[in-house]
């Protein structure tokens, strides 16, 4: 993906479809559209997956909570959502095996009755999961549970129910979608902000007016059709296209915090089935940390980035502490992050916790804008398919969706054991080789080969993590990294697991980027200082 080349194409070519928003739904739509044979442009006002799509709980799931609500309230919309999620789960796992994998989740229980309740519920969950090979749920005794998660409080523990879902690196999965779209002919560019639309004599959209957010240059992107995939910001784009439309979304805020891996000291995740506000909370191993989330609070202020605050930090810690032999020390918190859910406002009387995570494809008859509203990560591909099916009708076409069996960038010819080849061929430490293969898949050797050109690129960015300097160079050249945060937050996930080490790594990352991108000393300082200030604010908000 070359940003300069893409910008020239955006300005000079005529597209069938331009897609606004390069999160999971937008990148998914771009890949679906280009595989159907359309000429496609994909743009985002920030980086790929810079908002909601990089701030999930990293689960690929049907939703255990939705299943419970479906039966308790006879809510068949919730049941449909579970079924769709579980149908898509195996496709998400299959299409990017380097970025998505099965995850074992333990539900600790304090009595035999609780154990029976959750075993029945999770067995029902299993029955909805057709077409995949994940193991079925099991009811384990106390000893078996403690062997898997040794930090639990043995005095309160009776037993546990084990089940399986999927886990993904959400930001890199979204990037792989954008890369795959680009490699199939889409013009893809980050940091392109929409400022308005051009319309034909009938009032239909025929161009997107935009600005290059990095240098202020104006762009006019001509297209037959515009698709709005901006998640919680969808109403802004809809009203820009047609001011007479009513708002459709009720964004809600969800936050996570990151603790040391030793908090659970396990590769097993944990489902906390009971919280003070009627949700479920997950504690999940991710990138050398234990990540806990999520919350659900109504959010009216969507212009400001959602962050972890003190109250939310205390809530998540208080939710996990009753299950641990040793309570969490607030000083152990390494990082936190927040995101916005793009919930459809189906019923203004309902709390955001009870709104279904379903999606809708809206076509505005006046402007011709297609908006993909609502949804969740697990069903991104189904959401994209539904959207492109509607686009087909508008464009007078009938084209087959090919995404169900399309292996994403880095997944082609992937082998989980290929890290051993990197270890042998390039002399990289085992943890570094494993990391490269888990993030870049079959393209990991391209990152490792940079080490042969410059031995210094084999050096770690932080002694505590497997990330190396070569990744900075590779991602700038191949993954459209243009700011330090693009790299540290989304290409590697250090920002969401360890704020201190993010700050410690920042000077080296900025130096390498400055060399690759030709920054002046003043530009390098400006980028580094701005990001350091953001991290400082995140830390302050969480205190």
């Amino acid at each position: 993906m070359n940003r300069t080349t893409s910008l020239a194409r955006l300005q000079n070519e005529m597209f069938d479809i331009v897609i606004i928003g390069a999160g999971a739904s937008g990148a998914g739509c771009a890949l679906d559209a280009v595989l159907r044979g359309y000429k496609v442009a994909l743009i985002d006002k920030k980086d790929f997956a810079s908002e909601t799509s990089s701030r999930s709980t990293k689960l690929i799931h049907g939703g255990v909570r939705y299943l419970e609500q479906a039966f308790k309230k006879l809510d068949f919309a919730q049941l449909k959502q579970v079924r769709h999620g579980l149908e898509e789960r195996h496709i998400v796992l299959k299409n990017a095996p380097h970025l998505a994998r099965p995850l074992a989740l333990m539900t600790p229980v304090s009595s035999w009755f609780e154990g029976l309740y959750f075993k029945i519920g999770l067995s029902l969950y299993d029955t909805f999961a057709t077409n995949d090979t994940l193991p079925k749920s099991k009811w384990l005794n106390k000893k078996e549970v403690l062997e898997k998660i040794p930090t639990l409080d043995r005095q309160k523990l009776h037993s546990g129910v084990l089940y399986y879902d999927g886990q993904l690196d959400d930001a890199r999965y979204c990037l792989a979608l954008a890369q795959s779209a680009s490699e199939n002919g889409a013009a893809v560019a980050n940091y392109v902000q929409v400022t308005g639309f051009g319309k034909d004599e009938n009032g239909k959209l025929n161009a997107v007016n935009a600005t290059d957010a990095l240098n202020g240059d104006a762009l006019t992107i001509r297209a037959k059709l515009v698709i709005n995939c901006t998640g919680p910001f969808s109403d802004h784009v809809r009203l820009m296209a047609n001011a007479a439309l009513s708002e459709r979304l009720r964004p809600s805020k969800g936050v996570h915090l990151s603790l040391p891996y030793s908090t659970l000291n396990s590769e097993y995740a944990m489902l906390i089935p009971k919280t003070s506000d009627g949700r479920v909370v997950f504690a999940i191993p991710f990138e050398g940390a234990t990540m806990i989330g999520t919350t659900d609070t109504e959010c009216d202020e969507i212009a400001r980035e959602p962050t972890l605050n003190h109250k939310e930090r205390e809530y998540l810690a208080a939710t996990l502490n009753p299950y641990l032999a040793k309570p969490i020390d607030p000083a152990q918190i390494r990082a936190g992050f927040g995101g916005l859910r793009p919930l459809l406002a189906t019923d203004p009387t309902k709390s955001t916790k009870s709104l279904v995570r379903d999606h809708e494809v809206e076509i505005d008859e006046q402007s011709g804008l297609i908006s993909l509203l609502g949804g969740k990560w697990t069903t991104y591909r189904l959401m994209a398919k539904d959207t492109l099916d509607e686009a087909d009708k508008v464009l007078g076409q009938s084209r087959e969706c090919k995404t169900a069996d399309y292996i994403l960038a880095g997944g082609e010819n992937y082998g989980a054991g290929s890290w051993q080849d990197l270890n042998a061929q390039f002399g990289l430490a085992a943890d570094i080789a494993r990391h490269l293969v888990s993030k870049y898949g079959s393209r990991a050797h391209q990152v490792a080969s940079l080490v042969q050109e410059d031995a210094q690129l084999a050096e770690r960015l932080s002694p505590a993590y497997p990330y190396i300097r070569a990744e900075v160079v590779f991602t700038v050249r191949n993954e459209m990294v243009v700011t330090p945060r693009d790299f540290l937050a989304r290409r590697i996930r250090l920002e969401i697991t360890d704020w201190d080490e993010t700050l410690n790594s920042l000077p080296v990352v900025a130096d390498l980027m400055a060399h690759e991108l030709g920054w002046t000393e003043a530009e390098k300082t400006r980028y580094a200082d701005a990001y350091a200030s953001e991290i400082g604010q995140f830390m302050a908000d969480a205190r």
Side-chain angles (χ1 to χ4, degrees), residues 129-410:
T130 56
N131 300 322
D132 70 20
T133 57
L134 296 187
K136 301 303 183 185
S137 59
K138 295 180 184 177
W139 191 357
L140 305 181
N141 63 36
K142 181 175 181 175
K143 180 185 176 188
E144 291 171 320
V145 173
L146 289 170
E147 285 171 352
K148 291 170 173 55
I149 307 180
T151 59
L152 296 178
D153 186 344
R154 61 175 55 246
Q155 302 303 317
K156 297 178 182 176
L157 182 69
H158 174 271
S159 55
V161 181
L162 180 69
Y163 77 103
Y164 287 79
D165 260 325
Q167 182 177 36
L168 82 169
D169 182 333
D170 51 6
R172 288 205 64 90
Y173 204 107
C174 182
L175 177 71
L177 290 167
Q179 283 179 300
S180 299
S182 174
E183 290 169 9
N184 282 279
V188 175
N190 53 6
Y191 295 97
V192 175
Q193 182 155 7
V194 175
T195 56
F197 295 103
K199 298 181 180 180
D200 64 17
E201 62 276 8
N202 298 314
K204 301 292 187 184
L205 306 185
N206 63 7
V208 174
N209 301 321
T211 301
D212 182 338
L214 300 182
N215 61 20
D217 289 351
L219 296 163
T220 300
I221 309 166
R222 294 172 299 138
K224 298 174 186 175
L225 189 64
V226 179
I227 298 178
N228 170 23
C229 293
T230 54
F233 310 98
S234 294
D235 281 337
H236 175 71
V237 175
R238 292 172 64 249
L239 294 172
M240 197 186 297
N242 179 2
L245 293 173
S246 58
E247 295 186 354
R248 298 289 313 281
L249 294 175
R250 278 178 66 193
S252 83
K253 176 187 176 186
V255 300
H256 298 77
L257 60 84
S258 292
L259 294 161
Y261 179 83
S262 58
T263 305
L264 292 186
N265 195 28
S266 175
E267 283 302 302
Y268 286 75
M270 185 171 139
L271 165 66
I272 299 172
K274 291 187 295 186
T275 64
S276 58
D277 63 347
R279 289 184 52 75
V280 298
V281 167
F282 296 94
I284 293 174
F286 184 75
E287 296 296 307
T290 298
M291 195 177 74
I292 310 171
T294 181
T295 58
D296 190 327
T297 53
E298 193 106 20
C299 184
D300 296 323
E301 188 185 349
I302 64 172
R304 181 178 181 269
E305 178 173 342
T307 58
L308 172 73
N309 63 37
H310 176 81
K311 182 179 178 181
E312 293 160 337
R313 185 193 78 175
E314 294 299 301
Y315 164 79
L316 289 172
T319 299
L320 181 59
N321 274 340
Y323 295 88
L324 299 177
K326 183 180 178 183
I328 298 164
D329 178 352
Q332 291 178 302
I333 294 170
R334 290 182 173 176
F337 61 96
L340 296 173
R341 298 179 188 86
L343 300 175
L344 275 167
T346 52
D347 184 345
T349 65
K350 286 187 175 182
S351 70
T352 53
K353 289 191 292 291
S354 60
L355 292 179
V356 182
R357 295 293 300 278
D358 209 348
H359 66 275
E360 178 185 320
V361 181
E362 176 195 76
I363 302 177
D364 174 30
E365 295 298 330
Q366 181 175 317
S367 69
L369 177 71
I370 296 181
S371 294
L372 173 51
L373 307 174
K376 63 175 188 172
W377 236 118
T378 304
T379 55
Y380 86 87
R381 193 200 67 84
L382 179 63
M383 292 157 58
K385 178 184 180 300
D386 290 348
T387 306
L388 266 296
D389 286 347
E390 292 302 316
D392 274 352
K393 295 174 188 175
V394 173
L395 293 169
Q397 302 290 326
S398 179
R399 300 184 178 183
E400 181 187 359
C401 175
K402 300 178 181 178
T403 53
D405 298 310
Y406 188 87
I407 303 301
L408 301 181

